[in-house]
Amino acid sequence: MEDIESISASIHDDITKVKNLKELSTLETLYLGRNGKINELLKKMKDKGPEERKTYGQSVNLIKENFIKLLISKKQALLTTANNDDYIDVTLPGNKYPKGSLHLISVAVEEISRIFEKISFIRVSYPEVEYEFFSFESLNMPKTHAARDDFETSFIQAPQHLQYGKMLLTPHTSSGQVREMWRVGTPPIRMINIAKTYRPNWDATHTPMFFQFEGLCIDTDINITHLKGTLDYFVKAYFGNDIEARLRPHHFQFTEPSFEVDVTCTVCKGTALVDKQRCRVCKSGWLELGGTGMVHPNVLISGKIDPNIYSGWAFGFGIERVIMMKYGIDDIRNYYSGDIRFLEQF
Ligand code: DAH
């Protein structure tokens, strides 16, 4: 019984001295381990007489229970009392991890897709490595036509297709027009083709790879008012309700008549003045958005659509350009610089 009393007393002393979880764990082994003090006591059971054995066993069990209770409350105290190594302050804010976000081009692609989805346009993506036929011939630009020069095309070293000609990096998303006509077959067609396009330019407003979005609408009785209505809808949805679109006569091989689209300058709001000075961004109150027009009958014919029954309109705009206009960004090379200080602002 002497052993029991001394161990019972040392438990209290030992637990009080413990300063951290590591020491507590050592103490646990010292008492509860296979060769620990408590097991040593139990081993002595066999030496006791039948009478004594019962009370002895009960006392050892009591010590064990008591030790476990003290162990648990000591652990609790170590974790919740300030000024020791194991203290966990649950009121502290958690660690903050840096959060990534979508690239501003991806955000714009999604936004533009949503705007056209609402008026039943189907989003497609046609090849960026394309055949001459889809980028030019099918769009009323026969071989050797001078208009092809405007597009400064990069050709690919690849075997030539008997019907579709050489391979190239498409300089515009208009190459998706006839592909879409072939895919759908009989109109109505409402397409928004968003893809990468290529031209060998590199300055503040041009990168050799850029994105375009191409709208195409073909049906019976389609006329310019539908085109103007859709452009108005788009510029208000994307730039804001105070922005207007206007059409300016122009020339493209694949449309007749053709126009360039201008929108109210987002900086001077169409007044051409900023602080009584001429607006340096637009100079005129208008910013050029891109090209548009009524689909040329020859293009409908390439698409196996009868121009006597159907008519349509198309447009092609640059994504980098619309973002630039919306946020007043002055150098689009920033988009592709990978500079996180620029990108994280969007
Ligand atoms: N493809 C022309 C370009 O890249 C833009 C364009 C003009 C597209 C008129 C059209 C259009 O669909 O009708 O510059």
Side-chain angles (χ1 to χ4, degrees), residues 132-176:
E132 257 182 305
F133 174 80
F134 295 100
S135 291
F136 297 118
E137 267 109 302
S138 71
L139 295 171
N140 197 33
M141 286 182 278
K143 278 197 171 56
T144 73
H145 196 287
R148 289 192 181 205
D149 295 347
D150 298 343
F151 295 97
E152 296 175 274
T153 312
S154 302
F155 287 88
I156 299 280
Q157 275 191 338
Q160 209 165 313
H161 191 284
L162 281 179
Q163 239 175 314
Y164 305 144
K166 294 189 201 133
M167 291 202 94
L168 43 77
L169 295 177
T170 196
H172 57 174
T173 43
S174 305
S175 51

Side-chain angles (χ1 to χ4, degrees), residues 120-272:
S120 306
F121 278 62
I122 292 171
R123 157 92 191 272
V124 292
S125 247
Y126 281 118
E128 47 187 282
V129 180
E130 184 52 289
Y131 288 110
E132 257 182 305
F133 174 80
F134 295 100
S135 291
F136 297 118
E137 267 109 302
S138 71
L139 295 171
N140 197 33
M141 286 182 278
K143 278 197 171 56
T144 73
H145 196 287
R148 289 192 181 205
D149 295 347
D150 298 343
F151 295 97
E152 296 175 274
T153 312
S154 302
F155 287 88
I156 299 280
Q157 275 191 338
Q160 209 165 313
H161 191 284
L162 281 179
Q163 239 175 314
Y164 305 144
K166 294 189 201 133
M167 291 202 94
L168 43 77
L169 295 177
T170 196
H172 57 174
T173 43
S174 305
S175 51
Q177 288 193 16
V178 164
R179 283 191 178 273
E180 180 70 356
M181 294 180 208
W182 288 7
R183 184 185 74 82
V184 176
T186 311
I189 292 175
R190 282 176 181 73
M191 163 195 96
I192 189 84
N193 172 29
I194 308 186
K196 284 179 187 159
T197 48
Y198 299 83
R199 291 181 209 176
N201 299 316
W202 179 253
D203 60 37
T205 52
H206 298 90
T207 49
M209 185 280 291
F210 57 104
F211 283 79
Q212 281 193 337
F213 59 112
E214 184 96 6
L216 177 69
C217 172
I218 303 174
D219 207 340
T220 47
D221 301 320
I222 292 289
N223 61 50
I224 281 185
T225 62
H226 303 123
L227 167 60
K228 183 60 171 41
T230 310
L231 292 175
D232 284 338
Y233 160 75
F234 169 71
V235 302
K236 287 188 191 308
Y238 185 75
F239 294 107
N241 267 335
D242 50 348
I243 303 296
E244 305 217 347
R246 77 171 182 190
L247 297 178
R248 197 163 27 77
H250 199 75
H251 172 78
F252 295 103
Q253 278 296 116
F254 29 96
T255 39
E256 181 56 38
S258 304
F259 308 94
E260 277 195 325
V261 187
D262 294 334
V263 298
T264 319
C265 172
T266 44
V267 175
C268 66
K269 300 285 181 217
T271 59

